[in-house]
Amino acid sequence: MLASDRELPVSGGPEKRTYVREMFTAIAPTYDRLNRIISFRLDQLWRRHAVRRLGWERAPAGVYLDLCAGTMDFGAALARRAGFRGRIIGADFAPAMLRLGRGKSPRLAPVSADALDLPFPRAAFDGAMVGWGVRNLVDLDAGLAEAARVLKPGARLVVLEMTLPPGALLRRVYQLYFRRVLPWIGRRISKHTTAYTWLPESTQAFPPPAELARRLENQGFREVRFKLFLGGVCALHEGTRA
Ligand SMILES: C[S@@+](CC[C@H](N)C(=O)[O-])C[C@H]1O[C@@H](n2cnc3c(N)ncnc32)[C@H](O)[C@@H]1O
């Protein structure tokens, strides 16, 4: 059954996993283009900002994980850094998304994998990034624990995610843009009926930044902090694997 026929499964369960995987498979061909349009190209700026907080300079020839990598734009932002000589594994459970990352950099390697059950040994990575992925997980804590498991002690994790702006005025503008304008643009370009309604709905259901910070701490990260972009539309969390 198509998700347009029922309520979106934002709160979790196996139907959320199925919906997310099928939805990203369907919108993959227009994903990058729509990202640029709906974020006014800020998505790329935020990824570059997050990469600066990854601390990759300590291990420039290391192995890094782009988790929920999609079309691997986040990994590509690291690959393009002058002086970076390492490898980046892009892990995602929608191969159609990963395929579109091919050719973005020879340093990127796609792996079809579920973020909740990664096919990597303990302490395999020198750092990890997740761009707009954690909101889509069926079990957030299990996903953060799995990220902690595959990171070396002292390695850093950076997480970009949508949030609700705390200020009343901006929240009203946000509601107008994210609930009315964005779904309309998304439907026209992607031809998917619910993917760009999923974005505001799942953002609404996702924990606020301070709670995400606490949950990162609970799953084995220290020195956790976060920064808000554009008045709180997007948050960058960072932490160090204890
Ligand atoms: C909004 S896209 C983000 C893509 C990319 N990180 C970026 O910066 O544009 C979310 C991605 O997370 C992936 N994803 C969601 N849940 C996942 C899971 N449990 N395991 C692996 N990938 C997952 C989806 O397939 C999708 O490609």
Side-chain angles (χ1 to χ4, degrees):
M1 178 163 104
L2 282 174
S4 54
D5 298 331
R6 56 173 160 75
E7 277 213 351
L8 293 171
V10 285
S11 45
E15 62 281 14
K16 177 173 178 178
R17 186 184 190 280
T18 306
Y19 172 78
V20 166
R21 196 161 176 268
E22 287 178 356
M23 182 262 283
F24 281 108
T25 300
I27 67 168
T30 53
Y31 178 81
D32 282 352
R33 185 154 64 97
L34 259 169
N35 259 357
R36 305 300 180 270
I37 295 171
I38 63 175
S39 78
F40 310 101
R41 300 193 79 85
L42 287 170
D43 62 320
Q44 292 288 60
L45 188 77
W46 292 335
R47 287 189 191 91
R48 287 198 296 275
H49 193 101
V51 163
R52 285 202 287 275
R53 303 300 306 161
L54 191 56
W56 62 269
E57 297 85 348
R58 282 176 302 158
V63 186
Y64 291 81
L65 175 64
D66 182 358
L67 192 56
C68 298
T71 61
M72 294 192 283
D73 266 349
F74 212 165
L78 171 59
R80 282 194 286 266
R81 301 301 300 173
F84 181 75
R85 307 189 302 280
R87 282 190 305 129
I88 303 144
I89 309 292
D92 199 287
F93 69 3
M97 290 286 279
L98 289 173
R99 273 197 289 279
L100 287 152
R102 271 201 213 130
K104 286 186 179 171
S105 166
R107 299 196 177 280
L108 289 168
V111 171
S112 277
D114 193 318
L116 303 185
D117 184 19
L118 291 171
F120 310 118
R122 180 173 296 276
F125 293 98
D126 295 286
M129 64 203 90
V130 200
W132 300 283
V134 288
R135 174 174 40 88
N136 292 301
L137 298 178
V138 168
D139 185 336
L140 172 63
D141 296 317
L144 299 179
E146 190 60 346
R149 182 184 71 77
V150 299
L151 282 174
K152 294 177 182 169
R156 292 176 58 72
L157 170 73
V158 291
V159 180
L160 282 168
E161 197 45 270
M162 302 311 290
T163 56
L164 294 176
L169 181 64
L170 197 62
R171 198 177 275 225
R172 240 181 275 150
V173 176
Y174 169 94
Q175 300 287 14
L176 181 70
Y177 180 67
F178 278 79
R179 291 195 170 275
R180 304 230 174 268
V181 182
L182 188 145
W184 184 80
I185 299 172
R187 265 197 307 275
R188 283 188 71 101
I189 295 179
S190 74
K191 311 290 181 216
H192 195 283
T193 49
T194 59
Y196 290 85
T197 307
W198 174 261
L199 181 58
E201 292 292 329
S202 56
T203 300
Q204 182 98 37
F206 193 67
E211 186 186 330
L212 177 56
R214 271 196 302 280
R215 289 169 74 166
L216 280 159
E217 283 166 354
N218 290 344
Q219 298 306 329
F221 292 94
R222 59 180 164 80
E223 293 156 13
V224 174
R225 45 180 94 88
F226 66 86
K227 174 186 169 66
L228 300 179
F229 295 122
L230 208 68
V233 165
C234 178
L236 166 61
H237 285 73
E238 56 182 78
T240 302
R241 174 73 172 100

